[in-house]
Amino acid sequence: MPPTLMAQCRASARTRGKSDPIDALAIARAAVREPDRATAHLDDLAVDVRLLSDRRGHLVATRTATVNQRRSTSCAGTCTISPPTWTPPAG
């Protein structure tokens, strides 16, 4: 929805400033006033790319959770990690 269609509704709102509930109401009212406006649709390629991207995000999150879980349970407080030792070269 173009902002100009929502301007009148937002101007009549009782509170000043930006508000998600007020904006949602303004968009809904503008949509009812303008029923013949074009609607956005994704083509098949865009849908496929979005599905692949969402799936990849899920897989990355699952991998991260698995790695973190393995790290936390592998030592379980009994491991001691020694700092690396470094000796300066002679000379």
Side-chain angles (χ1 to χ4, degrees), residues 1-36:
M1 276 295 145
T4 54
L5 290 177
M6 299 178 297
Q8 180 182 3
C9 181
R10 290 214 50 209
S12 67
R14 293 184 178 175
T15 59
R16 291 177 33 104
K18 184 159 176 52
S19 164
D20 288 340
I22 292 172
D23 289 345
L25 181 62
I27 291 169
R29 287 182 176 165
V32 169
R33 277 196 318 264
E34 303 282 335
D36 298 331

Side-chain angles (χ1 to χ4, degrees), residues 45-68:
L45 180 61
V47 171
D48 290 343
V49 169
R50 180 174 287 175
L51 287 172
L52 285 172
S53 176
D54 290 347
R55 179 65 178 153
R56 181 183 182 279
H58 176 73
L59 290 172
V60 168
T62 302
R63 179 191 179 279
T64 301
T66 302
V67 168
N68 289 341

Side-chain angles (χ1 to χ4, degrees), residues 69-85:
Q69 184 179 18
R70 293 208 49 195
R71 283 184 182 158
S72 69
T73 58
S74 65
C75 286
T78 60
C79 293
T80 56
I81 299 173
S82 303
T85 57

